[in-house]
Amino acid sequence: MKKINSILSLLVLVVIMIGCGGDGDRKKSGAMATNAAERVYVAPGEHDEFYGFFSGGFSGQMSVYGLPSGRLLKVMPVFSQDAEKGYGYNEGTKPMLNTSYGFIPWGDLHHVDISQTNGELDGRWVFTHENNTPRVARIDLNTFETGEILEIPNSAGNHSFAITENTEYLIAGTRFAIPSPQRDMSIEDMKGNFKGPLTFVKIDQETGGMELAFQVIMPGFNFDLAHPGRSASHGWMFATTYNSEEANTLLEVNASQNDKDFIVALNWKKIEEYVKNGGGTMMDAEYAHNVYNHNSSTATSTMKKGVKTVDPKDIPGAVFFMPIPKSPHGCDVDPTGEYIVGSGKLAAELTVFSFSKMIKAIEDKNYDGDAYGIPILKYEDILGGIVKQPGLGPLHTEFDGKGNAYTTFFISSEVVKWSLKDYQVIDRKPTYYSVGHLMIPGGNSRKPFGKYLVAMNKITKDRYLPTGPEMNHSAQLYDISGDKMELLLDFPTIGEPHYAAGIPADLIKQNSKKIYRLDENEHEHAVRNESETRVERKGNEVHVYMTMIRSHFAPDNIEGIKVGDKVYFHVTNLEQDFDVPHGFAMIGANTAELLIMPGATKTMLWEPKRIGVYPLYCTDFCSALHQEMQGYVRVSPAGSNPELKWSLDGD
Ligand code: K7E
Ligand code: CUA
């Protein structure tokens, strides 16, 4: 330990010395002003300017990075178990992963979106969704913990996802068309019979709580990306469809037949009004609604039934199709709400629609026929402009708030900056390699912070030291404050970062909770001081009410447990200081450790299998005497009658 300490302090000293020297040198040299390293360097002890919340894709988690340094600050488990934090393993968080299919410990987390007020980031919550078992989630940005998960019924592979500009609704569109309601039918009969439900989830403005509001039962196209209107177009939402062909096999060929697919333009305010006035019909549905109480560290899972569905044909003037070339992926709305950028993956040009022209075309009832009763607007009528020869394989676009758009091109592997005024390309920079999403902090709000851009790449290849066949995906940070973009930094990400949301750190950090207050602890088995600690037996269930404080457990000796018992350790961390978690591990427990923040209580189930005397210990290095933070449990034979005893230092 001593040796480690002295090595550590030496390292710190070296880093400080490098830091000081570098600083002095830089000031002397004007040429160094363009130095990339300097612009991403955050000196030891200093904070990054932005938080970046990165989707973890198939890790089912979300990670928090500091920008511009690219330092990983935290991984937040959402749809997947995380042994590090005990999420999905301990008794309090297991209900978070409950669904109508039962417990599902994995998810595919795609898009993330920070809550907004008046179209500006407010830093209260970050919402996300999962693409496999359709679920949406809210993470609370005072605790950086998942606070709620809502399953989306009548849906399959939730992918198009958006938060409206006052966080009124979360929109979740089905990626895969399915029979709705689900039924046993021939796959070949898909065309005309499958549906594509778009789900609207109402968000409580005070708590962030989510309630299923209604589902718009769209034709059976696959819905890909969605964005809300903002400013001028607030009240509308836009979502791309691919596979308007309604192909059910070999989609790489069969879903690329039509010259044009669609962007759906949907006036959700109109539909909200319709539902408020009694419109729509209830459809059978079953879905889990899981809510976490941060004060009790305990989640509840409730099975709910039924969903209000709406047929778009019943609400004239609410839903339209905008034709767009070639299997569009992203559809992104600029900060003014006037421009809707559609990215046809296989198109040679980038199509930009005009919201005001769209409204005019609707008023003039200028349609190009309909699809399943939904009017198709005329392409020429709603076209705002075209970016010519922008690149190959456009996917996603973000905005800097200065009249510029930035689009990623997967096939030509580049980010292209272009002007919303004249649709001219201003700059292009390669990405390494094959970029998917990009992110500018606030880039999908009314008020972007157009200083940095992060490209999230699908292929890493030679960017880092090889780590076997699998490489972490690569993110790249560009400075976009000047006319030309400058690549500053590569950093690895966790899972596949489908999207990220960035926000100035000042909007979050002062609200970040430092401890859970012991006097607000609502866990039903919490104890608030060592004199309340005890062990109780109810049949073969044993409840251990235990506390932890630097550097011991109370009690730390327990006898009277038997093979076959179900032992619940309810462990309360009595600390009330910032950043003093303790951990709890028990040999043979078929689950992860408990990691318990100051003032919180967590519960672990242990089912002892064999007689003996077994140690338990703290897993998180908490003080110089962390190693002494341990205890013993004696396990007697099944059917024996040992006296239940517990003690700390003989008391
Ligand atoms: Cu383009 Cu799921 Cu946003 Cu990935 S999707 S890139
Ligand atoms: Cu408590 Cu280590």
Side-chain angles (χ1 to χ4, degrees), residues 548 550-551 581-583 618-623 626-627 629:
M548 52 197 350
R550 279 162 290 180
S551 291
H582 294 286
C618 172
T619 51
D620 186 316
F621 211 113
C622 49
S623 79
H626 154 78
Q627 209 69 347
M629 194 164 171

Coordinates of all heavy atoms in Angstrom, one line a residue, residues 548 550-551 581-583 618-623 626-627 629, ligand 2:
M548 N -22.8 0.0 7.3 CA -21.4 0.1 6.9 C -20.9 1.6 7.1 O -21.7 2.5 6.8 CB -21.2 -0.4 5.5 CG -22.1 0.3 4.5 SD -22.4 -0.4 2.8 CE -21.3 -1.6 2.5
R550 N -16.8 3.7 7.5 CA -15.4 3.5 7.6 C -15.0 3.1 8.9 O -15.2 3.8 9.9 CB -14.6 4.8 7.1 CG -14.6 5.0 5.6 CD -14.2 6.4 5.3 NE -15.3 7.3 5.6 CZ -15.3 8.6 5.3 NH1 -14.2 9.1 4.8 NH2 -16.3 9.3 5.6
S551 N -14.4 1.9 9.1 CA -14.2 0.9 8.1 C -14.6 -0.5 8.7 O -13.9 -1.4 9.0 CB -12.7 0.8 7.7 OG -12.4 1.9 7.0
P581 N -18.5 5.6 -1.3 CA -19.3 4.4 -1.4 C -18.6 3.3 -0.6 O -17.4 3.3 -0.5 CB -19.4 4.1 -2.9 CG -18.4 5.0 -3.5 CD -17.8 5.9 -2.6
H582 N -19.4 2.3 -0.2 CA -18.8 1.0 0.2 C -19.5 -0.1 -0.6 O -20.6 0.1 -1.2 CB -19.2 0.7 1.7 CG -18.5 1.7 2.7 ND1 -17.2 1.6 3.0 CD2 -19.0 2.7 3.4 CE1 -16.9 2.6 3.9 NE2 -18.0 3.3 4.1
G583 N -18.7 -1.2 -0.7 CA -19.2 -2.3 -1.5 C -19.5 -3.4 -0.5 O -19.1 -3.4 0.6
C618 N -15.9 -5.6 2.1 CA -16.2 -4.4 1.3 C -15.3 -4.4 0.0 O -14.1 -4.7 0.0 CB -15.9 -3.1 2.1 SG -15.9 -1.6 1.2
T619 N -16.0 -4.1 -1.1 CA -15.3 -4.2 -2.4 C -14.7 -2.9 -2.9 O -14.0 -2.9 -3.9 CB -16.3 -4.7 -3.5 OG1 -17.5 -3.9 -3.4 CG2 -16.7 -6.1 -3.3
D620 N -15.0 -1.8 -2.3 CA -14.6 -0.5 -2.8 C -13.6 0.1 -1.8 O -13.9 0.4 -0.7 CB -15.9 0.4 -2.9 CG -15.6 1.7 -3.6 OD1 -14.6 2.3 -3.2 OD2 -16.4 2.1 -4.4
F621 N -12.4 0.4 -2.3 CA -11.4 0.9 -1.4 C -11.8 2.2 -0.8 O -11.8 3.3 -1.4 CB -10.1 1.1 -2.2 CG -8.9 0.9 -1.4 CD1 -8.0 -0.2 -1.7 CD2 -8.5 1.7 -0.4 CE1 -6.9 -0.5 -0.9 CE2 -7.4 1.5 0.4 CZ -6.6 0.4 0.2
C622 N -12.1 2.2 0.5 CA -12.8 3.3 1.1 C -12.0 4.1 2.1 O -12.3 5.2 2.5 CB -14.1 2.8 1.8 SG -13.9 1.4 2.8
S623 N -10.9 3.4 2.7 CA -10.1 4.1 3.6 C -8.8 3.3 3.7 O -8.7 2.3 3.2 CB -10.7 4.2 5.0 OG -10.6 3.0 5.7
H626 N -9.6 -0.1 4.6 CA -10.5 -0.8 3.8 C -10.4 -2.3 3.9 O -11.3 -3.1 3.9 CB -10.4 -0.3 2.3 CG -10.8 -1.3 1.3 ND1 -12.1 -1.5 1.0 CD2 -10.1 -2.2 0.5 CE1 -12.2 -2.5 0.1 NE2 -11.0 -2.9 -0.2
Q627 N -9.1 -2.7 3.9 CA -8.9 -4.2 3.9 C -9.4 -4.8 5.1 O -9.7 -6.0 5.1 CB -7.3 -4.4 3.7 CG -7.0 -5.7 3.0 CD -7.4 -5.7 1.5 OE1 -8.1 -4.9 1.0 NE2 -6.9 -6.7 0.8
M629 N -12.2 -4.0 6.4 CA -13.6 -4.0 6.4 C -14.2 -5.3 6.0 O -14.4 -5.5 4.8 CB -14.1 -2.8 5.5 CG -15.6 -2.4 5.7 SD -15.9 -0.8 5.0 CE -17.7 -0.8 5.1
Ligands
CUA2 CU1 -15.8 0.1 2.8 CU2 -14.0 -0.6 1.6

